[in-house]
Amino acid sequence: MAKRFTDTDKWNRPWFRKLPQAYKLLWSYITDKCDIAGVWYIDFELASFLIGEEVTQAEAVHLFDKQIKVLPCGSRWLLNGFIPFQYGQLVP
């Protein structure tokens, strides 16, 4: 089980504050379920089931535009800034 830091200031940021409720839950789900590098393996069927409301990839990509990078394979997202937030500066 991964333990994660959470950004409690996200509630004060306009991009998060203006999200529809289901997409606030989706963002929390993604940040909890991504791997240690901040990569989330896309599964909107499971996310919608667990959230209890339909969420779509197209709308999420639009709403999370600056927070994610859709990886070239198309089946994963990289969460921008995840590694520095969770681990600080990495050193070899």
Side-chain angles (χ1 to χ4, degrees):
M1 166 179 31
K3 294 187 179 186
R4 299 279 163 79
F5 291 113
T6 186
D7 181 6
T8 58
D9 284 337
K10 69 180 171 258
W11 297 95
N12 300 327
R13 295 198 178 101
W15 78 268
F16 188 81
R17 190 175 61 234
K18 293 176 184 177
L19 289 174
Q21 179 177 335
Y23 289 89
K24 288 177 185 171
L25 290 171
L26 177 62
W27 183 253
S28 294
Y29 172 76
I30 291 170
T31 58
D32 285 349
K33 296 303 287 181
C34 66
D35 68 14
I36 62 171
V39 175
W40 179 58
Y41 292 80
I42 297 169
D43 187 344
F44 279 89
E45 180 181 2
L46 179 58
S48 294
F49 173 76
L50 293 173
I51 290 168
E53 191 172 333
E54 183 74 22
V55 287
T56 68
Q57 184 168 348
E59 184 66 8
V61 167
H62 171 72
L63 292 170
F64 302 154
D65 178 51
K66 293 185 172 105
Q67 283 67 43
I68 64 164
K69 177 180 181 186
V70 179
L71 297 178
C73 64
S75 63
R76 297 179 205 131
W77 289 355
L78 175 65
L79 305 184
N80 296 328
F82 182 83
I83 291 175
F85 181 80
Q86 290 297 320
Y87 310 111
Q89 175 134 4
L90 299 179
V91 293

